[in-house]
Amino acid sequence: QVTAKTAFLFILPQYNVSVPAADGELVQYHYGLKDLVTILFYIFIAIILHAVVQEYALDKINRRLHLSKVKHSKFNESGQLVAFHLTSVIWCLYVVVTEGYISNPRSLWENYPHVYLPYQVKFFYLCQLAYWLHALPELYFQKVRKEEIPRQLRCIALYLLHIAGAYLLNLTRLGLILLLLQYLAEFFFHMARLVYFTDENNEKLFNVWAVVFVVTRLFTLTLYILVIGFGLPRVESQALDPERGNLFSFLFNNILFRMSVLLLVCLFQASVMWRFIHFQLRRWREYWNEQSSRKRAAAAASTKQQTKLLKRDSGYHENGVVKAENGTSPRTKKLKSP
């Protein structure tokens, strides 16, 4: 029994409480320090799953493609993220549909703070935190190049900041919708990279990703403004209550804090869109430069071919004498007088 209690501490979410409901009591959860133990366990699970995907899928594909070292590293990164984002999109979509967050958008801010969480919502957040924390030791296990480490660390830190922020500030409902939109765009991007590595002439999926990215950014910004700017000010947030696990929600009682969060979100989204536009402009410039170089090469080849044809038609010079194609002189011979 002692070992069973310890095992449950690692495997199952902690801090369950019975909440009165219309059809009886409902078991829900809030957060606490014991969540760190559960996250630690699922970090090891994520490392094992990472190794399985690498060994039985990505390595076999890499042997057939014969990619360079740089492309090999990027292929592995995109392959792992495609598997993770696809799983997360399906899981997150199931959670938001079954919990009714899509059918009733007002539930994103009604009865805030949402201190008590359903089991599947809390478990989803714990697994998300475990995955992005497991990405830190994977930088060493995957032998990522030094040039790539700052970019990947920045990406991991942003995901951890947003997911942990939504979890601790009791914005889990809004966080689920935002993660669904983000992971959907990221799935198309890394899928496009995989297709590009197998066939460098196939960039159609990048165009699909560009459309999905713009749409998801617009939805993301709209949701932030709707929930934080208009929804939460209408709700009477509760005060600090450590016994219930409500440690940070009282911050949203302060209008200055709400506006600061909203301003930071808008600035962040603007920077993301600026980098996206810069990336697309660079892609189009490279595409048009490649097309123009191909046209110039084709025009030069055509001009060279026409020059060869003209030389064959009019003859060519040999030792200062114009000769025809068969080697005879094009000039008529003078007849000798008898």
Side-chain angles (χ1 to χ4, degrees):
Q1 293 182 353
V2 176
T3 55
K5 290 181 180 180
T6 306
F8 289 150
L9 180 64
F10 283 90
I11 298 173
L12 298 177
Q14 303 300 308
Y15 303 104
N16 57 314
V17 293
S18 297
V19 180
D23 53 350
E25 290 187 346
L26 186 64
V27 177
Q28 291 193 327
Y29 298 81
H30 59 88
Y31 56 78
L33 291 177
K34 291 181 181 179
D35 290 341
L36 297 176
V37 179
T38 310
I39 291 173
L40 178 63
F41 173 77
Y42 284 101
I43 286 175
F44 293 114
I45 298 297
I47 292 175
I48 295 171
L49 293 177
H50 190 115
V52 170
V53 173
Q54 185 68 41
E55 177 70 23
Y56 293 99
L58 298 179
D59 285 346
K60 292 183 178 180
I61 298 173
N62 277 319
R63 293 191 194 100
R64 296 181 180 180
L65 296 178
H66 304 289
L67 299 175
S68 62
K69 289 185 178 180
V70 176
K71 290 184 177 180
H72 183 274
S73 177
K74 292 182 178 179
F75 185 88
N76 287 337
E77 177 190 356
S78 292
Q80 292 287 348
L81 289 175
V82 161
F84 169 71
H85 286 136
L86 179 60
T87 304
S88 296
V89 165
I90 296 173
W91 188 3
C92 189
L93 183 62
Y94 173 79
V95 172
V96 297
V97 170
T98 54
E99 295 296 330
Y101 300 152
I102 292 182
S103 59
N104 182 22
R106 294 175 63 89
S107 63
L108 297 179
W109 63 82
E110 282 184 341
N111 301 321
Y112 181 82
H114 307 125
V115 178
Y116 296 130
L117 308 175
Y119 172 82
Q120 59 181 353
V121 174
K122 174 161 183 172
F123 188 62
F124 177 82
Y125 270 91
L126 294 180
C127 290
Q128 290 295 313
L129 291 170
Y131 179 86
W132 290 109
L133 286 172
H134 111 282
L136 294 173
E138 285 295 343
L139 296 176
Y140 173 77
F141 295 146
Q142 294 293 320
K143 298 179 180 179
V144 178
R145 295 185 306 147
K146 292 182 179 180
E147 298 82 3
E148 291 290 323
I149 289 178
R151 178 186 63 83
Q152 295 201 24
L153 284 176
R154 187 164 56 249
C155 178
I156 294 169
L158 286 173
Y159 272 112
L160 287 174
L161 178 64
H162 283 78
I163 296 172
Y167 187 63
L168 296 176
L169 294 173
N170 298 317
L171 294 170
T172 50
R173 299 182 182 183
L174 175 63
L176 283 171
I177 305 296
L178 296 178
L179 279 177
L180 177 62
L181 296 173
Q182 175 67 20
Y183 286 161
L184 185 64
E186 288 293 307
F187 169 76
F188 279 102
F189 173 72
H190 290 287
M191 195 68 200
R193 285 220 307 184
L194 291 180
V195 174
Y196 175 76
F197 289 141
T198 56
D199 182 10
E200 293 187 355
N201 295 321
N202 191 348
E203 297 186 3
K204 294 181 180 179
L205 207 55
F206 277 110
N207 299 326
V208 177
W209 163 71
V211 175
V212 174
F213 181 86
V214 173
V215 173
T216 54
R217 289 305 100 190
L218 292 175
F219 271 104
T220 297
L221 189 58
T222 302
L223 278 173
Y224 268 118
I225 295 174
L226 180 64
V227 176
I228 298 178
F230 295 98
L232 292 180
R234 299 181 181 180
V235 177
E236 295 181 359
S237 299
Q238 298 180 11
L240 178 65
D241 189 359
E243 293 183 358
R244 295 183 58 200
N246 187 8
L247 301 177
F248 303 103
S249 298
F250 72 96
L251 294 173
F252 283 96
N253 283 325
N254 190 337
I255 187 173
L256 182 61
F257 178 78
R258 284 200 306 266
M259 293 299 104
S260 299
V261 171
L262 194 59
L263 179 61
L264 288 175
V265 167
C266 292
L267 291 175
F268 177 75
Q269 296 299 323
S271 67
V272 170
M273 284 301 300
W274 169 251
R275 283 180 299 180
F276 171 78
I277 293 171
H278 180 72
F279 171 76
Q280 291 298 325
L281 290 175
R282 186 179 62 188
R283 266 191 69 219
W284 290 338
R285 186 165 55 248
E286 291 174 353
Y287 173 78
W288 288 115
N289 289 339
E290 183 181 355
Q291 291 297 319
S292 61
S293 63
R294 286 182 179 178
K295 288 181 180 179
R296 285 195 300 268
S302 177
T303 303
K304 188 176 181 181
Q305 184 68 22
Q306 290 177 1
T307 305
K308 287 183 178 179
L309 291 174
L310 288 173
K311 285 183 177 180
R312 293 180 64 183
D313 291 340
S314 60
Y316 64 95
H317 292 271
E318 183 178 326
N319 295 328
V321 179
V322 178
K323 295 207 172 181
E325 186 178 359
N326 57 5
T328 61
S329 175
R331 293 179 296 177
T332 57
K333 295 182 178 180
K334 291 184 179 180
L335 296 175
K336 293 182 179 180
S337 58

